[in-house]
Amino acid sequence: MILQILGAAGAGKSTLGTLMARQTGLPLLHADFYRWQDDQFEQMRPISVRRAMLAQDMACRPSFLLDGGLSSWLPEGLLQPDLLLLVRCPQKTRMERLAQRERRERPERQERRARPARQVQRERPERPERLERRVRPVRQAQ
């Protein structure tokens, strides 16, 4: 079984994935691990390396939880989750969580990131229809 958790940054994907991994015993894979070479999220891995890493992990783990999206770099059909979960959260809450995370995990970057984060905090309506166009139904819920 492959269960993929999707949502915007700060929505709670990793928190939900961690709780679900504890409850189910399934390994939790993080999409960011494949995308980024460093903990500062500044150096992206080449797409060929990401694909090879994911293919290796999928070969070793027939069942897993996946935190995040891969559709921008993964060929269609390579990952076929049995269940997709979309985590939604108000934008204001997400921005507060992201600011807290930034202060906690990367205090040295606080000043550099402070101005752009404030500019993004304006309210924008969520647009789930954009996600619906990109994610094809895996199977109907029963």
Side-chain angles (χ1 to χ4, degrees), residues 1 53 59 61 71 84 96-97 106 114 125 133:
M1 171 194 237
M53 290 170 63
R61 298 171 179 88
S71 64
L84 294 172
E96 290 168 357
R97 289 176 180 174
R106 295 182 263 296
R133 284 195 306 262

Side-chain angles (χ1 to χ4, degrees), residues 102-117:
E102 193 77 9
R103 285 190 298 271
R104 182 180 64 244
E105 296 177 9
R106 295 182 263 296
E108 72 283 356
R109 294 172 63 182
Q110 187 63 32
E111 184 58 34
R112 188 172 82 183
R113 298 256 178 172
R115 277 179 258 121

Side-chain angles (χ1 to χ4, degrees), residues 3-4 10-11 24 60 80 82 106 132:
L3 190 149
Q4 186 175 9
T24 64
C60 298
Q80 297 183 348
D82 298 293
R106 295 182 263 296
E132 290 168 9

Side-chain angles (χ1 to χ4, degrees), residues 43-121:
Q43 298 176 0
M44 293 175 77
R45 295 183 201 277
I47 290 175
S48 60
V49 172
R50 295 180 218 170
R51 289 177 179 167
M53 290 170 63
L54 180 62
Q56 182 178 4
D57 284 346
M58 288 174 59
C60 298
R61 298 171 179 88
S63 294
F64 57 87
L65 304 167
L66 175 63
D67 159 15
L70 309 171
S71 64
S72 65
W73 55 267
L74 194 65
E76 187 174 334
L78 184 59
L79 177 71
Q80 297 183 348
D82 298 293
L83 182 63
L84 294 172
L85 293 178
L86 175 61
V87 180
R88 296 181 68 188
C89 181
Q91 184 175 5
K92 182 177 180 184
T93 303
R94 290 188 312 101
M95 291 301 116
E96 290 168 357
R97 289 176 180 174
L98 291 171
Q100 288 173 356
R101 183 189 307 170
E102 193 77 9
R103 285 190 298 271
R104 182 180 64 244
E105 296 177 9
R106 295 182 263 296
E108 72 283 356
R109 294 172 63 182
Q110 187 63 32
E111 184 58 34
R112 188 172 82 183
R113 298 256 178 172
R115 277 179 258 121
R118 281 190 212 111
Q119 293 170 359
V120 173
Q121 285 188 2

